Amino acid sequence: MRLAAPVIWLLFAGCGLIEPPPASFAIAVTLSGSGIGQVTSAPAGINTAFNRFEASFEPGTVVTLRASADPGSSFSGFAPAAGGALECDSGSTATTCVVTVDDV
């Protein structure tokens, strides 16, 4: 997953050029279908069981999304939102999606 970050430089009198802290990027999940289950992230931030569907991560962070279906339900896979981009990195499985937050 590649996300673009604006670069902002600040110039304060007497302080010189100061680079702002790294931008963070939001990853959001949406559950669909009639089944029951949850999605969590590592590092922590997303946990749909506790109504946390979105979290922000700094550039360079490797985020693993894990899906689990309750008994009687099944997980069909990860897909990008309309107009969004989702590319699971190598190391992903049927129930995990590994993405790297990238500022390029």
Side-chain angles (χ1 to χ4, degrees):
M1 174 182 287
R2 299 182 70 72
L3 304 171
V7 176
I8 301 171
W9 294 90
L10 302 175
L11 184 60
F12 294 99
C15 295
L17 195 56
I18 299 173
E19 185 176 350
S24 62
F25 298 96
I27 295 177
V29 298
T30 302
L31 305 180
S32 63
S34 59
I36 300 171
Q38 69 178 20
V39 175
T40 59
S41 68
I46 294 173
N47 188 331
T48 59
F50 294 100
N51 291 320
R52 294 193 310 245
F53 289 84
E54 183 175 320
S56 294
F57 301 95
E58 291 185 10
T61 303
V62 175
V63 179
T64 302
L65 300 172
R66 285 192 170 76
S68 59
D70 286 2
S73 296
S74 62
F75 176 70
S76 61
F78 289 98
L86 177 69
E87 294 180 24
C88 297
D89 297 341
S90 62
S92 299
T93 67
T95 58
T96 64
C97 180
V98 179
V99 295
T100 302
V101 178
D102 194 345
D103 62 345
V104 175

